[in-house]
Amino acid sequence: MYRFLLTPRWWGINVFVVLAIPFCIFMGSWQLGKFEDRVDTHQEAESRPAPGEQVAAPLEQLLPVDQETSGRPATATGVYGKQFLVPDRELDGRNGSYVLTLLKTDGGRTLPVVRGWLASGKPAPAAPDGQVTVTGALQASETSGTDGVHTAGGLPSGQLGMISAASLVNLVPDDVYDGWVTLTAADSGLVPVPASVPEGSGLDLKAFQNLGYTGEWFVFAAFVVFMWFRLLRREAEAARDRALGLEPEPV
C-alpha cells in the first residue's frame, strides 16, 4: 500500500520535509537565543547603576560607545564652533529642534554637542565663547532607524537631519567623533535633552518580536509534519481504494 513512497513525487516531498523541519527548528532556536540574549542584557543593565548616576569620565575613556557606556556622563574640553539645528524633535509632546554645536576638543577632534532643545520658531542662542568644559550623557551616533531623523535630505542650510559622524563628514573638515553628548545642564534659553536608552538593552518591542518569531518557526515545523501525515493518509486511502476497485488507476 505504501509503495507510492518510492515514486519521484514522494521522494521530492520527503526530501523537502527532511530539510524543512531542521531548518525551522534551527531558526526558531536562533530567534529564541536572540530573545534570551536581550533578557540577559536587560538583567545585567538592571543590576548595574543607572548610567546617569555614575561619575563623569573623560570622553576618551568611554569610547567606543556601547551598551555599557551609552548614557554615561562624559566630559570634554574645547572651543565651540559651527552650530546646527536638528529639526522635528519632540520633547514632552512639543515639536522643536535640538541645538547642536560642534566642540573642537583639545585633542583636535570634533565632538557634536546637543546644548538643548528649542521650541519651533525661536532663535537659537549663541554658544559660549572661549574654552569650555562640557559634561553630558554620551550617545551613539543616530541611524536611519532612529526616531525623528531626516534621511531624505532637502533641509535648509544650517539644519541637520541626523546626528552622526557620517552626516557631518561633508560639512566640517575635522575628524568627528563617532558619538555625541547631550548636556546634563542645558545652556540658557534651552531645555535639556534627556539621554535615550541604548538599543538592545531592554525588553522592548524588538525583544518580543524575537519571541514571536520563535513561536512562528516552531509552528511552521509542526505544520510541515502535519501536512506530510495528511498527504500520506490521503495517498494511502487512494491506494487502498484503487486496490479494492473503488477508484480507477491513474493514467
Side-chain angles (χ1 to χ4, degrees):
M1 183 186 301
Y2 292 98
R3 285 186 297 175
F4 61 84
L5 290 172
L6 300 178
T7 61
R9 173 172 172 266
W10 270 92
W11 269 108
I13 294 174
N14 292 335
V15 169
F16 171 79
V17 170
V18 168
L19 295 177
I21 293 176
F23 176 76
C24 290
I25 293 175
F26 168 79
M27 291 300 297
S29 300
W30 181 75
Q31 289 288 351
L32 181 60
K34 295 285 287 183
F35 174 74
E36 290 175 341
D37 289 343
R38 287 180 178 271
V39 172
D40 292 340
T41 302
H42 174 70
Q43 291 176 342
E44 291 176 4
E46 288 291 310
S47 64
R48 295 194 301 265
E53 297 175 355
Q54 300 184 45
V55 178
L59 175 66
E60 295 291 346
Q61 295 182 12
L62 302 178
L63 297 175
V65 186
D66 55 24
Q67 290 183 351
E68 290 190 14
T69 61
S70 180
R72 285 277 306 274
T75 61
T77 301
V79 177
Y80 279 126
K82 199 168 184 179
Q83 182 163 282
F84 299 90
L85 289 180
V86 186
D88 296 330
R89 299 302 177 104
E90 288 192 359
L91 185 65
D92 297 331
R94 296 184 298 163
N95 189 54
S97 302
Y98 291 169
V99 178
L100 177 73
T101 311
L102 302 182
L103 182 75
K104 183 66 173 291
T105 65
D106 292 344
R109 301 177 68 185
T110 294
L111 174 67
V113 176
V114 171
R115 295 171 46 228
W117 177 89
L118 185 71
S120 298
K122 292 187 177 181
D129 294 326
Q131 191 175 61
V132 295
T133 297
V134 299
T135 301
L138 183 61
Q139 301 282 267
S141 290
E142 294 183 334
T143 66
S144 58
T146 305
D147 291 340
V149 302
H150 283 270
T151 58
L155 291 174
S157 177
Q159 294 190 10
L160 191 67
M162 181 190 307
I163 308 174
S164 69
S167 63
L168 288 164
V169 67
N170 295 322
L171 300 178
V172 294
D174 307 320
D175 184 18
V176 181
Y177 281 104
D178 187 17
W180 53 285
V181 299
T182 172
L183 293 187
T184 305
D187 286 339
S188 178
L190 302 174
V191 180
V193 175
S196 60
V197 177
E199 293 186 7
S201 62
L203 297 181
D204 54 10
L205 179 60
K206 290 184 179 179
F208 290 101
Q209 283 179 340
N210 292 133
L211 188 60
Y213 294 149
T214 298
E216 287 182 1
W217 281 112
F218 288 140
V219 168
F220 290 158
F223 181 73
V224 170
V225 174
F226 167 76
M227 288 302 299
W228 184 86
F229 275 108
R230 184 175 180 181
L231 289 174
L232 177 67
R233 181 179 178 182
R234 180 186 295 178
E235 196 82 15
E237 290 175 349
R240 183 187 60 193
D241 290 346
R242 286 193 296 269
L244 294 175
L246 300 177
E247 182 178 320
E249 293 285 342
V251 179

